[in-house]
Amino acid sequence: MKLLRFGPRGHEKPGLLDDNGVIRDLSAHVTDLAGESLDRHALEGLAALDASSLPEVPTDTRLGPCVAGVGKFICIGLNYSDHAAETGAQVPPEPVIFNKWTSAICGPNDEVIIPRDSEKTDWEVELGVVIGKAGSYIDEADAMQHVAGFCVVNDVSERAFQLERSGTWDKGKGCDTFGPLGPWLVTPDEVTDPHQLDMWLDVDGKRYQDGNTRTMVYQIPFLISYLSRFMSLQPGDVISTGTPPGVGMGQQPPVYLKPGQRMRLGIQGLGEQHQTVVADQKR
């Protein structure tokens, strides 16, 4: 299934995309795509529904983040060998872990806000893994049983905040709107091999990122097992698994986002995101 959430910000309803590309309303069958509703058995119940019998949703309806109630938004740094090379970094001996704050989460096509005092806001297309079954100290062989589905993530990053202001990376990763999720939460039965997916990102029609998840250093089962040694994983937690080469910081000279620009990014089988970049207008 391709599950999604639609409607105004903060008032999204659960839905699915049927085989004809029509959005269908699931709110009569599930409260939201969060918590226990992400369990494999719950998802099997939704898959058994006759999609054609569900109410249609207008095509111009806003899409929200594809999962609700995210408790942890965990990111893996330098997890693509070719991306590490472009930034001049070594592939780490263990996964680099950092966080995006859940207040960064937004819809896949919402505006991305450049923070005040930012001069180095950057892009990163990433494969997101959504946890559906809780666990600690998960065996690598069992890890995929804990996955509810996969989604597109744009790990928007402010490089000066991240790398030049001392401390951890987190301050450059968790600004508001720096975590678009979706458009869909695609269940594992539709993803034959999550480590063989093309992924791309354009800015104003120019292709910057054109990679594949096959160059991931630490693959998904290992990441789930590894993370679960340091924290319990809960339904709705999102793991963003790293980015291929082509980020703005890696260009010669570096290129960063400016208000008015448009990002388009996607992953094979998981859909596309489209974001307009705007300046922070908060007072």
Side-chain angles (χ1 to χ4, degrees):
M1 288 181 295
K2 293 180 174 70
L3 299 166
L4 53 87
R5 299 172 67 248
F6 65 90
R9 186 188 298 268
H11 300 279
E12 292 91 348
K13 295 181 179 181
L16 62 77
L17 192 75
D18 72 15
D19 292 339
N20 297 312
V22 176
I23 298 175
R24 301 283 183 167
D25 188 342
L26 277 173
S27 58
H29 300 274
V30 63
T31 303
D32 209 340
L33 299 177
E36 293 182 358
S37 68
L38 297 171
D39 178 81
R40 284 287 176 93
H41 297 296
L43 294 179
E44 287 170 1
L46 296 180
L49 296 172
D50 177 7
S52 65
S53 69
L54 301 172
E56 290 190 26
V57 177
T59 56
D60 60 350
T61 301
R62 171 187 175 269
L63 295 181
C66 60
V67 61
V70 177
K72 296 188 286 296
F73 195 166
I74 309 159
C75 300
I76 309 300
L78 301 174
N79 196 34
Y80 282 68
S81 55
D82 37 8
H83 170 58
E86 77 167 340
T87 61
Q90 300 246 331
V91 172
E94 293 189 35
V96 173
I97 303 171
F98 62 91
N99 295 290
K100 293 179 87 75
W101 317 125
T102 55
S103 53
I105 294 171
C106 63
N109 304 321
D110 290 346
E111 292 178 338
V112 165
I113 301 169
I114 294 181
R116 297 181 195 179
D117 304 319
S118 166
E119 296 181 354
K120 297 182 178 181
T121 296
D122 203 348
W123 56 82
E124 294 189 11
V125 59
E126 304 202 1
L127 173 64
V129 179
V130 178
I131 297 298
K133 177 183 176 183
S136 298
Y137 301 100
I138 298 166
D139 287 338
E140 191 171 341
D142 300 328
M144 298 306 288
Q145 298 304 310
H146 291 258
V147 175
F150 305 95
C151 66
V152 181
V153 177
N154 190 352
D155 176 17
V156 185
S157 308
E158 211 302 334
R159 301 302 189 187
F161 297 177
Q162 175 192 355
L163 301 171
E164 300 172 21
R165 303 263 310 255
S166 80
T168 67
W169 287 6
D170 305 294
K171 67 170 71 75
K173 293 287 191 170
C175 303
D176 289 357
T177 74
F178 272 25
L181 297 180
W184 315 315
L185 173 63
V186 181
T187 51
D189 57 293
E190 292 203 15
V191 182
T192 303
D193 184 352
H195 305 106
Q196 291 290 335
L197 301 177
D198 292 330
M199 52 204 310
W200 63 90
L201 184 144
D202 300 343
V203 179
D204 289 344
K206 179 177 178 178
R207 179 67 44 96
Y208 281 95
Q209 292 189 273
D210 192 3
N212 189 286
T213 56
R214 74 172 66 93
T215 66
M216 198 181 286
V217 177
Y218 297 108
Q219 295 192 333
I220 294 163
F222 176 85
L223 291 173
I224 291 172
S225 177
Y226 181 84
L227 291 170
S228 74
R229 301 178 202 174
F230 307 106
M231 67 195 83
S232 62
L233 296 177
Q234 305 295 331
D237 287 349
V238 176
I239 304 169
S240 198
T241 56
T243 197
V247 300
M249 179 175 63
Q251 307 301 308
Q252 299 297 330
V255 176
Y256 296 111
L257 292 165
K258 294 179 171 42
Q261 292 189 303
R262 182 92 169 152
M263 288 183 282
R264 170 182 170 266
L265 59 147
I267 299 178
Q268 180 182 351
L270 305 185
E272 289 190 357
Q273 300 182 355
H274 303 86
Q275 296 123 16
T276 299
V277 181
V278 299
D280 184 358
Q281 299 296 327
K282 294 177 185 174
R283 291 291 183 267

